[in-house]
Amino acid sequence: MQELTCEFSMEVVGGRTLRVARWRWDMASEHLPILFFNGIGANIEAVAPLAEALTERPFIMFDMPGVGGSPDPLVPYNTFTMSWTAKELLRRFNCDQVDVMGISWGGGMAQHFTLQHPDYVRRLILCATSAGMFMVPGNPGALTKMVNPRRYVDAAFMEEHFRTLYGGLTGGKAEHISRLTPPSPRGYVYQLLAMLGWTSAPALPFLKKDTLIMMGDEDQIVPLANGKILETLIPNSRLEIFEQGGHLFMLTHREQTISCIRGFLDGPERTDTKRKAA
């Protein structure tokens, strides 16, 4: 079995210090690297199993300011500045094209990065996410608990409200909780503010990248309807629905997730374009 390696580094970009993780970066590969944007308040380790499972691909991600091992932000940031920051990180590591993937809050970042820097992106994968401000809201009980950073600090709180928060099956719950590191209060608030009023909806019809949208049918935070909206708005997209999948279907449906990602990224280039009604 091939040895899996992850290299961590602290990188200063645009005055922000970020903890960056790279898997198999110097490995010869016929596949493009994956640039991953994480969910709100989530640290690198929360997604490490996904990066480790995709053994044939380089993989890069970073902790947002005030999250995981990245120091607190000095000033607020937004999707534009963080997309620029991600692009500069890629340039620093001599990478000029990637496949982009994002989950939940990070799905918004993935959309914005692709729209802002299309020359850097081949294909796009969106998981449990929405078009932003115009999203179909989730379960109020789940949303009020999601914005509370206590879920990262208090394991008992997370254990008690796990199904309310994430819906669907709950396999792998203990492993997931053990990987989480609480964000700082400032880091969490700034991450929430970064998406305040943001939406990709007007621009998505002009997004020409092949796009895979993955959604759980029991997601309590980002309901399935949001994935259907994304599929309608993005011309070259398809929707994959995970039955009994909650917000963390990548954890509970791990093998299906990996198979779906590989099938999409390794698939032939599309020659058809969905026609939108005038």
Side-chain angles (χ1 to χ4, degrees):
M1 180 179 293
Q2 184 177 15
E3 182 180 357
L4 303 181
T5 59
C6 174
E7 180 180 354
F8 287 95
S9 61
M10 301 298 290
E11 306 292 335
V12 180
V13 182
R16 294 180 177 86
T17 302
L18 301 172
R19 178 176 177 247
V20 181
R22 291 174 291 147
W23 283 261
R24 301 169 294 275
W25 201 253
D26 298 322
M27 179 188 77
S29 175
E30 61 183 13
H31 303 287
L32 287 177
I34 291 176
L35 168 64
F36 190 90
F37 291 99
N38 215 339
I40 190 164
N43 51 296
I44 288 168
E45 286 76 8
V47 183
L50 173 67
E52 291 163 2
L54 294 167
T55 55
E56 72 280 14
R57 300 173 191 277
F59 194 105
I60 184 170
M61 66 183 302
F62 58 93
D63 285 333
M64 285 290 166
V67 175
S70 292
D72 266 354
L74 299 177
V75 295
Y77 56 87
N78 56 34
T79 53
F80 182 89
T81 56
M82 292 315 297
S83 290
W84 176 86
T85 299
K87 183 258 296 183
E88 290 300 304
L89 275 176
L90 294 179
R91 291 183 60 187
R92 179 166 300 181
F93 295 122
N94 300 313
C95 180
D96 58 10
Q97 193 173 44
V98 291
D99 291 318
V100 176
M101 184 174 180
I103 181 170
S104 193
W105 185 96
M109 277 300 312
Q111 293 170 64
H112 195 98
F113 180 90
T114 302
L115 291 164
Q116 186 173 329
H117 302 293
D119 291 345
Y120 277 78
V121 182
R122 185 187 68 125
R123 293 185 178 181
L124 174 63
I125 301 177
L126 302 175
C127 307
T129 194
S130 73
M133 184 173 61
F134 296 116
M135 73 176 289
V136 176
N139 180 333
L143 293 175
T144 55
K145 293 177 177 63
M146 184 196 72
V147 298
N148 186 347
R150 183 182 171 193
R151 63 191 173 111
Y152 289 109
V153 179
D154 187 343
F157 179 87
M158 175 72 99
E159 179 81 23
E160 179 183 357
H161 299 292
F162 196 90
R163 188 174 181 87
T164 300
L165 271 165
Y166 300 114
L169 303 174
T170 56
K173 176 173 61 175
E175 178 190 354
H176 177 71
I177 293 174
S178 71
R179 290 179 174 273
L180 299 179
T181 300
S184 73
R186 182 190 297 179
Y188 199 72
V189 169
Y190 279 14
Q191 200 171 3
L192 281 170
L193 291 176
M195 286 288 178
L196 188 64
W198 175 88
T199 181
S200 59
L204 290 182
F206 304 99
L207 197 163
K208 304 304 182 184
K209 307 296 182 182
D210 283 358
T211 303
L212 172 65
I213 304 157
M214 300 195 293
M215 303 289 294
D217 64 357
E218 297 183 9
D219 193 331
Q220 300 297 298
I221 294 173
V222 185
L224 174 59
N226 292 286
K228 295 180 179 179
I229 291 171
L230 290 173
E231 185 187 28
T232 299
L233 291 175
I234 301 173
N236 298 326
S237 64
R238 69 177 177 88
L239 174 63
E240 184 80 12
I241 299 173
F242 290 71
E243 295 184 2
Q244 290 187 285
H247 200 59
L248 296 182
F249 64 81
M250 288 200 306
L251 174 69
T252 59
H253 298 61
R254 186 173 299 182
E255 295 305 315
Q256 183 183 353
T257 298
I258 297 300
S259 175
C260 193
I261 291 171
R262 283 186 169 132
F264 171 69
L265 294 181
D266 293 341
E269 297 294 329
R270 291 179 60 128
T271 57
D272 62 311
T273 300
K274 291 191 298 186
R275 297 291 182 182
K276 301 299 181 185

